[in-house]
Amino acid sequence: MTSKPVNQKMWSSSYGITSNSQLPLFFPSAITSKISMFAKPCSLDVVIGWGNKPNTQKAKSFAKTHNLPYMCLEDGFIGYLGHSSSDNKRLSLIKDEVGIYYDARSPSRLEQLCLAISSAALPASDEERASHLIRSITSSGISKYNHIREALPDSIQQLGSDCILVVDQTAGDQSIKFGLANTDSFQQMLDAAIAAHPDKKIIIKTHPDVLIAGKSGKKSGHFSLDSQSGPNSRYKNVYLLTDDCSVSDLMAKVSDVYVVTSQLGFEALMYGKRVHCFGMPFYAGWGLTQDQQVCDRRAALTLPQLVFVSLIQYPTYLHPETQTLCEAEDVIAWLALQLGGKSLNNKQAVDVCYAFGFSLWKRAFVRQFVGRMSNKVVFINDESILETLLQQSRSNISVLLWGRSRSAWAKELRRYADVWFMEDGFLRSVGLGADLRRPSCLVIDRQGMYYDSSAPSDIINILNDIDL
């Protein structure tokens, strides 16, 4: 007689967790609704919470009261194709039943995995796997967020090579306090970088969250343009990088990277940079970084060992296409494919794409197809309003039209912006567009359209230039 399967559940007091339709895919069991004081959990159930914030106390108390294990969740170190503020497809999830990786005050599952591997060499296959992962990440410039891959601004490009990078973070970031640091650590870090490298250019990088949310006043960093750089600053050799840009381009400019607890320090190790830590992030204390803090629990690691644990063993990965569990290499390969084709003809993404005259049902999918060609898509149906916006704009913009029916008007629009044309692709869908069947393939052409041989088009250029 076979026994019935145990109905294990994941309990949470967070609406953000219980309402997220993707999170259950990272677990073998279902995530229930909010924890209730009247709930009767099974002895095998697990209570989950997000991060180490004060709002997790209810979940932790529930776990303690019912003698249940508690598991802390966080985004993985390779998190999104875009940015978490606008991209709801999480690529990896950390599930830690011991602590959480950014809290150096107590052990975490990551730390335990590192200690278990520190006393013995990695098997050759695992060593090569970690080394291959490092090469794949650095060759594609993959980071935690991959929403912007613009080149460095001219002001930074002109500084020459062999600069020093100082990494800012958002004020109040949990990893700062739990990483044995505080607000003063950032000033200490900058002063130390200047003292150690008096003749070199210092680049302060603003955190992506500040660049995205800072405009609304929701987040701020520890360094500002007025106080840290410019002719009136007491720092004459310091330059603030407030543009989000390619990580690989930035790493090519610097020899040393100064951080408090930023993950960029971990990525810098993979680029072969000297990393100086003024807090105790998860990658410090293992003999790979120059540390201002001490964590006696940690031992010596090699970089492949740290990468193997941090990127292969510790997180759980979900393939963005199949939405099934996968390995780190699958996500890296998928990201490399997306990032390698971020724009047509190797042109940079525009700031805004005005999609003109699209019906409501087309709007539901157009933004996904435009993808990384534009940082933002705005739908508009009024010709005069569009022309006014184009004339007044100072941004890098484009206009997207369906087909070639308005090619004459497009010539006028090109006085102010790039004009792109969209049409059904050659393997469009199962069913007809006239029946409102969602397309699987569309064409976006920056010059014309494949069926109009009287004018230039991207496909003509591709066919003329291709070398197979």
Side-chain angles (χ1 to χ4, degrees):
M1 183 176 179
T2 58
S3 58
K4 295 182 179 179
V6 177
N7 183 26
Q8 185 187 43
K9 297 182 293 295
M10 315 300 293
W11 293 87
S12 177
S13 60
S14 166
Y15 177 76
I17 291 177
T18 57
S19 63
N20 189 302
S21 60
Q22 191 196 37
L23 278 179
L25 301 178
F26 286 94
F27 293 90
S29 306
I31 297 177
T32 71
S33 58
K34 279 193 173 185
I35 289 174
S36 166
M37 61 182 294
F38 303 107
K40 296 181 179 180
C42 168
S43 61
L44 296 178
D45 290 347
V46 177
V47 180
I48 55 178
W50 196 271
N52 211 5
K53 296 180 180 180
N55 60 11
T56 62
Q57 292 306 312
K58 181 178 179 181
K60 292 177 180 177
S61 298
F62 182 85
K64 185 176 181 180
T65 299
H66 295 276
N67 197 27
L68 297 174
Y70 177 80
M71 179 184 291
C72 187
L73 308 182
E74 265 290 353
D75 284 332
F77 303 128
I78 299 171
Y80 299 87
L81 172 61
H83 186 275
S84 57
S85 62
S86 58
D87 185 354
N88 60 7
K89 276 195 174 182
R90 181 176 286 106
L91 301 177
S92 63
L93 182 72
I94 286 168
K95 301 181 287 187
D96 197 319
E97 66 280 3
V98 179
I100 192 59
Y101 69 88
Y102 57 74
D103 189 350
R105 304 171 308 171
S106 58
S108 66
R109 178 168 166 264
L110 173 63
E111 193 174 273
Q112 290 183 350
L113 289 170
C114 286
L115 290 172
I117 210 171
S118 65
S119 58
L122 276 178
S125 58
D126 291 341
E127 175 102 14
E128 174 53 32
R129 188 179 176 188
S131 298
H132 177 74
L133 208 60
I134 293 171
R135 292 192 296 270
S136 298
I137 289 171
T138 54
S139 63
S140 298
I142 290 170
S143 185
K144 181 173 185 176
Y145 305 128
N146 298 280
H147 56 299
I148 297 291
R149 303 180 60 76
E150 302 292 346
L152 294 174
D154 291 341
S155 59
I156 301 298
Q157 290 281 20
Q158 294 168 2
L159 297 180
S161 58
D162 202 28
C163 297
I164 305 300
L165 179 62
V166 172
V167 184
D168 198 3
Q169 293 175 245
T170 55
D173 189 321
Q174 293 287 300
S175 74
I176 298 172
K177 176 178 69 174
F178 294 125
L180 311 183
N182 53 45
T183 301
D184 295 337
S185 303
F186 289 86
Q187 188 61 51
Q188 295 165 7
M189 171 177 62
L190 177 60
D191 291 341
I194 294 172
H197 311 278
D199 300 323
K200 291 188 178 182
K201 307 294 186 182
I202 309 289
I203 301 171
I204 299 178
K205 183 184 183 301
T206 303
H207 193 278
D209 287 355
V210 175
L211 298 177
I212 291 173
K215 294 178 181 179
S216 61
K218 292 182 179 180
K219 292 188 177 181
S220 61
H222 298 84
F223 301 114
S224 66
L225 182 62
D226 293 337
S227 62
Q228 304 301 335
S229 62
N232 298 321
S233 169
R234 64 189 178 100
Y235 300 113
K236 304 304 180 185
N237 229 18
V238 175
Y239 300 83
L240 195 63
L241 176 58
T242 57
D243 295 69
D244 220 341
C245 58
S246 164
V247 171
S248 56
D249 286 355
L250 183 58
M251 290 299 166
K253 294 283 293 181
V254 304
S255 61
D256 292 67
V257 177
Y258 284 73
V259 300
V260 176
T261 58
S262 169
Q263 184 183 311
L264 194 57
F266 174 57
E267 295 168 9
L269 287 175
M270 291 191 280
Y271 283 90
K273 306 303 174 181
R274 289 187 296 270
V275 178
H276 309 258
C277 297
F278 283 71
M280 185 54 58
F282 72 91
Y283 53 86
W286 305 105
L288 299 171
T289 54
Q290 307 296 314
D291 300 329
Q292 298 299 311
Q293 305 293 338
V294 176
C295 184
D296 292 331
R297 296 188 307 273
R298 300 181 184 180
L301 285 178
T302 65
L303 181 60
Q305 285 177 321
L306 178 63
V307 169
F308 184 81
V309 170
S310 302
L311 296 183
I312 295 175
Q313 286 188 314
Y314 189 47
T316 301
Y317 292 91
L318 197 69
H319 197 285
E321 301 294 344
T322 64
Q323 291 293 284
T324 56
L325 298 180
C326 65
E327 298 295 332
E329 290 88 346
D330 299 319
V331 167
I332 294 297
W334 181 85
L335 278 171
L337 179 64
Q338 309 307 313
L339 301 177
K342 70 183 178 68
S343 60
L344 195 59
N345 297 334
N346 295 319
K347 294 183 179 179
Q348 295 289 351
V350 299
D351 296 326
V352 181
C353 173
Y354 291 105
F356 179 81
F358 285 82
S359 61
L360 288 176
W361 87 276
K362 284 183 179 178
R363 293 184 184 190
F365 57 77
V366 163
R367 184 176 280 108
Q368 293 173 289
F369 280 90
V370 173
R372 303 182 68 81
M373 295 174 67
S374 177
N375 298 326
K376 183 179 181 181
V377 178
V378 176
F379 294 100
I380 191 166
N381 284 333
D382 189 296
E383 286 188 19
S384 61
I385 293 178
L386 175 60
E387 290 175 356
T388 300
L389 288 172
L390 297 182
Q391 292 169 15
Q392 295 177 347
S393 177
R394 297 290 184 271
S395 303
N396 179 21
I397 57 178
S398 68
V399 176
L400 180 67
L401 305 175
W402 185 270
R404 292 282 287 166
S405 61
R406 303 180 66 94
S407 56
W409 185 47
K411 293 180 180 179
E412 294 296 320
L413 296 180
R414 279 200 165 112
R415 296 167 54 195
Y416 309 105
D418 290 337
V419 178
W420 305 340
F421 302 93
M422 176 178 277
E423 258 287 6
D424 289 338
F426 304 126
L427 296 172
R428 185 195 180 277
S429 61
V430 177
L432 300 175
D435 295 331
L436 305 187
R437 295 288 187 177
R438 188 183 183 92
S440 297
C441 174
L442 294 177
V443 170
I444 301 177
D445 197 304
R446 293 179 185 264
Q447 299 182 77
M449 191 48 64
Y450 60 86
Y451 54 71
D452 185 357
S453 59
S454 67
S457 67
D458 289 335
I459 195 170
I460 295 298
N461 289 352
I462 292 170
L463 291 173
N464 279 332
D465 297 339
I466 197 167
D467 182 14
L468 297 178

